[in-house]
Amino acid sequence: QVQLVESGGGLVQAGGSLTLSCAASGRGFSDYDMAWFRQAPGKEREFVAAISWKDNVTRYPDSKKGRFTISRNNAKNTVYLQMNDLKPEDTAVYYCAADGEPFGSPPSPSFRDYEYWGQGTRVTVSS
């Protein structure tokens, strides 16, 4: 099993940047696909980015390409989400997730494939 703790959220003005971190504890982090999802009030959970355990293959929805970058440091058991040019519509709680049984590449964009979740970190973007 793995436990996940997100950090780095906060209040930022539109056009600003934030980097979220997700620290993992437990065994096997380097064998897990990792992902970020977000959920805004009244909306469904939304896929933001994912990175595979093997070869660090990344995946983004088209709407996030170019503004968001996911990365991982297996030596530190940490995955990051760099967010640039933030917009008010990026306001949400951001969750880190781990897939302990990854299948193929690129990593899955479906929240159903991720067994482990953090508590989330809130990001608020003011206009």
Side-chain angles (χ1 to χ4, degrees):
Q1 281 200 355
V2 64
Q3 292 77 45
L4 305 173
V5 178
E6 303 95 335
S7 61
L11 175 64
V12 63
Q13 288 188 335
S17 299
L18 277 178
T19 298
L20 306 183
S21 300
C22 173
S25 60
R27 293 185 175 184
F29 174 80
S30 61
D31 296 331
Y32 287 60
D33 283 356
M34 301 297 297
W36 289 92
F37 292 81
R38 71 185 187 186
Q39 189 163 19
K43 295 188 177 181
E44 295 185 351
R45 193 167 1 184
E46 178 186 16
F47 171 65
V48 175
I51 186 166
S52 67
W53 69 275
K54 184 177 181 181
D55 297 331
N56 286 346
V57 173
T58 58
R59 184 171 190 167
Y60 306 90
D62 288 341
S63 60
K64 305 297 183 295
K65 288 182 180 178
R67 294 198 300 124
F68 290 16
T69 303
I70 188 171
S71 61
R72 67 190 295 165
N73 184 328
N74 287 343
K76 295 184 177 181
N77 279 10
T78 301
V79 63
Y80 305 95
L81 183 69
Q82 172 70 40
M83 305 185 292
N84 298 323
D85 190 24
L86 284 163
K87 306 176 186 301
E89 51 264 40
D90 294 319
T91 294
V93 177
Y94 284 71
Y95 297 93
C96 174
D99 178 1
E101 297 182 355
F103 179 80
S105 182
S108 173
S110 172
F111 71 88
R112 293 180 178 84
D113 290 327
Y114 292 85
E115 308 94 286
Y116 306 107
W117 293 80
Q119 293 300 306
T121 185
R122 185 174 301 276
V123 173
T124 302
V125 183
S126 63
S127 57

